[in-house]
Amino acid sequence: MFHMGWFVGYGFGVQSWNQTWSGAGGVEWYKPDLYIDMAHAMERSGFDYMMIEDSSCIPDIFGGSMESVLRNAHGAPKHDPMALAPILAVNTKHLGIVVTAATSFYPPYLLARLSATLDHLSEGRFGVNLVTASSDRAAQNYGLDKHYEHDLRYEMADEWAELVVKLWDSWEPDAVVLDEKSGVFADHTKVHYANFEGKYYKSRGPLQVIASPQRRPVICQAGGSEAGKAFATRWADTVVAAARGVDHMKQARADMTARLLAAGRDPNSCKMLFLIMPVLGETKDEAMEKRRRIVEARKQDVEFMLQTMSYASGQDFSKYDVDKPLPEFDTNGHRSTIADFARSANGKTLREMAAFRTMESIELVGTPDSVAAEMSEVMQEVGGDGFLIGNAVERRQIAEICDGLMPALQRRGVVRTEYAHKTLRENLLAF
Ligand SMILES: Cc1cc2nc3c(=O)[nH]c(=O)nc-3n(C[C@H](O)[C@H](O)[C@H](O)COP(=O)(O)O)c2cc1C
């Protein structure tokens, strides 16, 4: 069996509006119902977790203005996904809820306390997707002039995580004794100061939050650079990867296994999920036609790609000639994303690249049954742990994935039909 997640790529933001199947997307994205509907559908079809993206700025690199982003609602506005998590938690029983948090901006104590509280509220189903964040704009919102250099922010993240874990661990699981006879609520000898003093962070501790059901909420990670992978090796329970094709997927999983072994960790203790965006139809032809229209729409919208790449790299792509290949440049942003983009360019012009610009690891087009068969084969070949759906969050896609694809996977016996455990980590480790 393998695991399934769904990446809510626009965060707690505008998921879909002004499209045929958006419904009331323009006004309901900031209310909980859409996400509750999605969580119910994911839960009835056996998903491991919903992972919610986040960033904290309105991108204005492209053309030096917020115009393109706000006109199209591409990546902004965006509300705080931490506030959505408890609503999803009380509306579900089994689904993992993973929310993105930037190590560079969250004070460790604040995140340790918030995430442990959410782990209680969800009864052990909470996780954090730890990113270092990439944009100067976000850094400026938190009082910096520009973002820390790429590898430095991972070095800082490492120390940050060490402290957060120490704070999570500050209460021993049996510190709360609740002895009504002797009148003792908690045994103070089982609550420990962190007394942490690192190069970048300092905190006394302990947390005031009692040990949560998972004690350490699940840690998810997505960085593809050398520094990102080293961070994942040390801390992650699950990593999400945008690889390119089966060979690259295989290589990514083998690399992670080797790194975990070298670090003295069980390679099965970190689950690697690969990003996919299946295009589903009632027939193969219908799905192919749908795919053709998606590629056509991408070609017509070169600006979307240019704006996305401007955000990821911090370079203004509006200054490049779209009918010429991508010039070389260095970035302090999403380094591995840009490197991957440059590699896949292969001499193509930016306009030509717009049609192919996608982060999916393998292209999946077909009926729920044929796509389920392909996913099973690929997973077997790759030796990976599962997939992360990256499709747009709108009810038609939710139904296609959760009521079409997932049941087809369940019929093949490759994804769960029921949850064996209570907590997210236990369910991740179950197979
Ligand atoms: C599936 C996926 C989800 C991601 N989600 C976020 C996110 O929510 N916020 C963010 O700042 N970066 C996000 N990233 C970017 C990564 O954290 C990372 O910066 C990027 O993959 C480049 O890797 P590097 O920073 O190690 O160079 C995501 C990447 C992937 C592949």
Side-chain angles (χ1 to χ4, degrees):
M1 284 211 286
F2 53 78
H3 300 271
M4 292 294 295
W6 191 323
F7 177 50
V8 181
Y10 279 130
F12 188 7
V14 185
Q15 308 298 338
S16 162
W17 77 287
N18 206 19
Q19 304 288 315
T20 314
W21 302 98
S22 305
V27 291
E28 73 168 348
W29 65 269
Y30 48 85
K31 297 174 190 160
D33 290 22
L34 173 64
Y35 310 93
I36 294 172
D37 282 358
M38 179 179 178
H40 283 157
M42 289 175 70
E43 192 163 73
R44 76 171 168 265
S45 58
F47 268 87
D48 288 75
Y49 59 79
M50 181 193 290
M51 170 190 163
I52 310 176
E53 183 268 1
D54 196 31
S55 62
S56 30
C57 65
I58 299 181
D60 63 352
I61 301 289
F62 180 72
S65 159
M66 296 184 282
E67 187 200 338
S68 170
V69 166
L70 291 182
R71 179 165 30 84
N72 300 299
H74 278 159
K78 199 174 282 183
H79 292 188
D80 192 327
M82 287 291 180
L84 187 58
I87 298 177
L88 297 180
V90 298
N91 278 282
T92 49
K93 283 199 163 57
H94 308 288
L95 185 70
I97 299 149
V98 179
V99 175
T100 301
T103 59
S104 307
F105 310 133
Y106 253 108
Y109 188 88
L110 194 61
L111 192 279
R113 186 184 189 206
L114 179 58
S115 55
T117 303
L118 288 167
D119 199 41
H120 279 290
L121 289 171
S122 63
E123 297 186 43
R125 294 181 287 123
F126 189 66
V128 278
N129 172 39
L130 295 183
V131 299
T132 57
S134 60
S135 94
D136 286 339
R137 293 293 181 262
Q140 285 154 2
N141 286 339
Y142 293 101
L144 301 171
D145 291 331
K146 64 187 188 69
H147 203 357
Y148 305 112
E149 184 278 324
H150 181 276
D151 284 9
L152 170 63
R153 56 189 191 242
Y154 275 110
E155 185 184 319
M156 293 171 73
D158 204 48
E159 192 185 294
W160 182 98
E162 208 176 305
L163 171 52
V164 165
V165 166
K166 213 161 177 203
L167 289 166
W168 281 336
D169 287 349
S170 59
W171 281 68
E172 292 185 32
D174 58 353
V176 176
V177 290
L178 268 185
D179 188 337
E180 292 183 357
K181 269 200 199 120
S182 60
V184 177
F185 182 85
D187 176 355
H188 76 284
T189 65
K190 294 188 171 171
V191 182
H192 309 286
Y193 292 102
N195 282 333
F196 186 93
E197 193 162 347
K199 192 165 160 195
Y200 308 104
Y201 301 102
K202 190 172 162 180
S203 175
R204 185 161 182 262
L207 225 52
Q208 321 96 309
V209 184
I210 62 172
S212 73
Q214 300 183 105
R215 197 152 187 224
R216 300 175 179 188
V218 160
I219 294 181
C220 172
Q221 209 273 339
S225 63
E226 198 49 40
K229 286 185 220 166
F231 181 80
T233 305
R234 186 150 182 219
W235 302 109
D237 298 288
T238 176
V239 290
V240 291
R244 294 273 167 194
V246 174
D247 287 346
H248 191 193
M249 289 164 78
K250 224 168 162 171
Q251 205 182 317
R253 179 60 245 193
D255 177 67
M256 195 67 208
T257 299
R259 285 170 190 267
L260 289 161
L261 282 171
R265 280 186 65 186
D266 174 359
N268 291 319
S269 66
C270 183
K271 306 296 182 187
M272 181 175 269
L273 270 51
F274 293 97
L275 192 67
I276 51 167
M277 300 171 190
V279 179
L280 300 167
E282 303 211 358
T283 62
K284 178 97 182 166
D285 282 350
E286 188 189 309
M288 302 263 281
E289 170 57 18
K290 230 164 131 184
R291 176 76 178 187
R292 190 194 61 74
R293 288 201 307 269
I294 292 170
V295 172
E296 194 51 42
R298 276 198 208 125
K299 266 193 215 162
Q300 301 302 324
D301 194 5
V302 188
E303 184 179 310
F304 175 55
M305 181 203 69
L306 298 176
Q307 178 224 303
T308 311
M309 295 317 290
S310 300
Y311 173 68
S313 66
Q315 297 274 329
D316 180 3
F317 271 57
S318 75
K319 65 184 185 211
Y320 299 136
D321 185 340
V322 291
D323 293 310
K324 290 210 171 115
L326 174 75
E328 266 187 33
F329 64 86
D330 193 24
T331 178
N332 188 38
H334 292 298
R335 195 167 282 170
S336 54
T337 311
I338 300 299
D340 177 54
F341 183 69
R343 241 191 334 270
S344 61
N346 211 3
K348 287 192 205 82
T349 67
L350 283 169
R351 191 189 298 283
E352 285 162 346
M353 286 198 69
F356 300 101
R357 179 69 202 140
T358 159
M359 301 243 299
E360 62 202 331
S361 295
I362 39 164
E363 194 179 302
L364 294 163
V365 187
T367 63
D369 210 46
S370 74
V371 169
E374 255 184 277
M375 286 168 70
S376 314
E377 274 164 36
V378 167
M379 246 329 97
Q380 214 149 33
E381 193 175 342
V382 167
D385 307 300
F387 292 100
L388 184 73
I389 299 288
N391 294 44
V393 173
E394 35 122 296
R395 287 188 179 80
R396 186 194 195 192
Q397 303 240 22
I398 294 169
E400 285 179 352
I401 298 291
C402 298
D403 299 319
L405 180 61
M406 289 300 283
L409 289 164
Q410 286 173 331
R411 283 194 293 274
R412 287 176 179 272
V414 292
V415 299
R416 70 166 63 79
T417 49
E418 56 187 40
Y419 295 86
H421 301 281
K422 273 185 80 102
T423 69
L424 170 56
R425 182 176 285 104
E426 286 172 305
N427 282 319
L428 277 173
L429 292 176
F431 44 86

